[in-house]
Amino acid sequence: MSAIIEIANKIFQPLIDLGAAPMMTIVLTLIALVFKVKPSRALEGGLKLGIAITGIGAIIDMLTSSFSQAMADFVARTGLSLNITDVGWAPLATITWGSPYTLYFLLVLVIVNVIMLIWKKTNTLDVDIFDVWHLAFVGLFAIWSGANLLIATVLVVFIGILKIINSDLMKPTFNDLLDAPENNPMTTTHMNYMMNPIIMVFDKIFDKIFPWLDKYDFDAAKLNNKVGFWGSKFAIGIYLGIFVGLLAGQNPTEIFELAFTAAVSLELFSLIGQWFIDSIEPLSQGITDFASKRLKGRTLNIGLDWPFLAGRAEIWAAANILAPIMLLEAVILPGNYLLPLGGIIAMGITPALLVVTRGRIIRMIVIGAIELPVFLWAGTLVAPFVTNMAKNIGAFPEGVASNQLISQTTMEGPMEKFLGYLVGNASQGEIEFIIYAVLALIAYLLIFMWYRREMNKRNAAYAAEKSES
């Protein structure tokens, strides 16, 4: 294993050291060149992707940092005893990439993806190399909880295979949500969407018990058109900023600053989402030409980061409503010690809700509120591990007390964090944990298999609609 880790370091470390935007620029450009895209067009697409990643990161940082201060003021004002600081995704990514095992997991997952493509078990080529840290985090947490590297690798591969299969299952829904042509290659292997099976369980319950609520649902984009500015992303951001500012007891200047920051952030998300779509266009044409000439009609999809869906108004409408709900649940939820700060805007939750419900806002909000405790408990569970890792690699955030635990609220893959904990402890030979781990893994796989069947039904319906038209 140590030899494989060393090989992975030599192959990927120079690329990872460049950072997410330069790394993905190079990766997308090289892949486009492989598919015979003109060098200038290949580089154009790669640069656009790098710009989009940089833009989305800057807006997320601006938004979460503004809300973090407001939430800190709220805690100081109320005296809540939520003693785990939510530092957002960026420090956790830094911590995870600080482990040499992350590069090892990346190499393993690349090999798995290639094998699946060769054996025709997937049509997705996963190029979202940077976000492999979400799954690597699960492996690292399993090791910290007691697993050896082999067992952690098996767990990562198991989840990674399902993650890639899921990217194929979601592809027709992405086309529908984006009103994109069938040859559009964009999909995603992001860990956000591994909550889809759980969300679909609740969505089916919704079908059986509360179908009448759908008649009160609304199209966020159409509503925005009808009510004009007052239903726009700008206005939604202002409402949220004012609400949170009042909760925090801020003065009028601070409240308006927070409101305007939220307003511009939500509008820019939509704009930057279009950049992701534009960046993939040269590669899309190259893949189409390649498939028609070499693969006898077989289509290939490209697994990107999730923000190519950022232009959908439902993501932000639901996230804004879930923000105060998350805060309330964090205060009253037994077993939670994590205060939503960096993750107060629920971007680890709403994209999956959008895909499963296909944009039905009421369902997104209700199901989102039901699943939020899972994220809060998962964030609480991993806090000692995150804090220990951060201090070991010198990545503990500045401005946070040294005796404070740190974590993330809306961390991608909360169910997988529990699997990592159970598998790690089961590896120590405790019968109780072995039983729990086996039952959890079986349940996880069975729910995914059921979800896969339901998505195949949906995709068949999409195909039937296209054949009729």
Side-chain angles (χ1 to χ4, degrees):
M1 286 290 187
S2 59
I4 298 176
I5 293 172
E6 186 176 346
I7 292 171
N9 277 313
K10 289 181 179 178
I11 294 174
F12 293 113
Q13 190 63 61
L15 195 59
I16 298 300
D17 287 344
L18 293 174
M23 177 179 66
M24 291 308 299
T25 295
I26 293 170
V27 168
L28 191 68
T29 301
L30 290 177
I31 292 174
L33 290 173
V34 168
F35 285 101
K36 307 296 184 182
V37 176
K38 290 182 179 179
S40 60
R41 291 280 287 154
L43 181 59
E44 177 187 340
L47 289 172
K48 284 182 177 179
L49 180 61
I51 292 168
I53 291 172
T54 301
I56 210 84
I59 300 305
I60 288 173
D61 288 346
M62 179 174 71
L63 188 62
T64 54
S65 62
S66 297
F67 276 79
S68 293
Q69 183 56 54
M71 291 298 97
D73 292 343
F74 174 73
V75 172
R77 186 185 185 202
T78 58
L80 290 172
S81 59
L82 299 176
N83 56 6
I84 301 175
T85 300
D86 174 10
V87 295
W89 70 268
L92 268 74
T94 301
I95 292 164
T96 306
W97 279 115
S99 168
Y101 291 116
T102 298
L103 292 170
Y104 158 74
F105 288 131
L106 171 58
L107 179 60
V108 169
L109 290 169
V110 167
I111 293 171
V112 168
N113 189 195
V114 171
I115 291 173
M116 291 179 70
L117 283 166
I118 293 172
W119 288 355
K120 298 184 179 180
K121 299 301 181 182
T122 183
N123 288 319
T124 297
L125 175 64
D126 185 9
V127 304
D128 188 17
I129 292 176
F130 180 77
D131 283 329
V132 77
W133 76 266
H134 298 130
L135 187 46
F137 184 98
V138 176
L140 294 173
F141 184 48
I143 292 171
W144 189 80
S145 300
N148 60 37
L149 183 57
L150 178 60
I151 291 176
T153 301
V154 171
L155 177 63
V156 167
V157 169
F158 168 67
I159 298 171
I161 290 172
L162 299 186
K163 196 161 67 86
I164 293 172
I165 292 172
N166 190 35
S167 68
D168 291 321
L169 295 173
M170 294 186 292
K171 181 63 173 57
T173 301
F174 289 139
N175 288 349
D176 181 49
L177 292 171
L178 295 169
D179 194 23
E182 193 170 352
N183 63 354
N184 160 52
M186 285 190 302
T187 186
T188 180
T189 57
H190 203 282
M191 283 284 283
N192 272 341
Y193 299 98
M194 290 308 288
M195 280 299 289
N196 286 9
I198 302 297
I199 295 171
M200 185 165 280
V201 170
F202 289 110
D203 193 55
K204 294 298 181 182
I205 293 173
F206 215 106
D207 285 339
K208 298 293 184 182
I209 301 177
F210 307 111
W212 50 272
L213 276 176
D214 285 338
K215 67 182 180 181
Y216 300 108
D217 209 86
F218 57 91
D219 183 305
K222 289 181 179 178
L223 178 66
N224 290 349
N225 291 332
K226 287 182 180 179
V227 301
F229 172 80
W230 303 106
S232 67
K233 298 182 188 69
F234 282 127
I236 291 172
I238 288 174
Y239 305 150
L240 178 64
I242 291 174
F243 175 76
V244 173
L246 289 173
L247 281 180
Q250 294 184 327
N251 62 46
T253 300
E254 292 171 322
I255 290 174
F256 281 117
E257 182 178 348
L258 188 64
F260 289 133
T261 298
V264 72
S265 295
L266 297 192
E267 189 64 32
L268 286 175
F269 273 125
S270 177
L271 176 63
I272 295 172
Q274 184 60 45
W275 295 355
F276 278 88
I277 296 172
D278 292 342
S279 71
I280 206 70
E281 195 279 327
L283 178 58
S284 173
Q285 188 58 53
I287 289 175
T288 300
D289 294 341
F290 178 84
S292 63
K293 293 177 181 178
R294 303 288 181 86
L295 299 180
K296 299 179 181 179
R298 182 185 177 190
T299 58
L300 288 181
N301 305 322
I302 299 298
L304 296 170
D305 200 349
W306 74 267
F308 62 81
L309 278 179
R312 290 290 303 208
E314 297 91 344
I315 287 180
W316 309 110
N320 290 334
I321 296 171
L322 287 173
I325 294 174
M326 187 193 312
L327 178 61
L328 175 63
E329 290 186 4
V331 171
I332 65 175
L333 186 66
N336 172 62
Y337 300 98
L338 177 60
L339 177 71
L341 294 173
I344 190 66
I345 305 300
M347 287 166 292
I349 298 174
T350 51
L353 290 167
L354 174 72
V355 168
V356 175
T357 68
R358 288 183 280 193
R360 286 176 284 191
I361 291 290
I362 293 177
R363 292 192 183 214
M364 290 177 68
I365 294 167
V366 172
I367 297 173
I370 292 171
E371 67 171 345
L372 277 173
V374 177
F375 286 84
L376 291 167
W377 283 324
T380 298
L381 177 69
V382 302
F385 162 67
V386 173
T387 305
N388 180 264
M389 280 281 290
K391 290 180 177 179
N392 285 344
I393 70 169
F396 194 80
E398 295 181 7
V400 178
S402 60
N403 62 344
Q404 187 85 16
L405 292 175
I406 60 172
S407 188
Q408 181 189 358
T409 304
T410 51
M411 184 185 299
E412 293 82 352
M415 301 303 297
E416 291 73 19
K417 307 301 186 295
F418 288 109
L419 289 180
Y421 174 77
L422 292 174
V423 169
N425 280 275
S427 301
Q428 300 300 299
E430 295 184 39
I431 297 299
E432 184 180 6
F433 274 107
I434 291 174
I435 294 172
Y436 288 151
V438 170
L439 291 176
L441 288 168
I442 291 173
Y444 184 83
L445 180 59
L446 288 177
I447 292 174
F448 185 87
M449 290 172 64
W450 168 81
Y451 159 78
R452 182 182 186 182
R453 185 188 67 186
E454 295 301 313
M455 288 296 284
N456 281 331
K457 290 180 182 177
R458 176 192 291 188
N459 294 341
Y462 278 133
E465 289 175 8
K466 288 181 180 179
S467 63
E468 290 175 2
S469 61

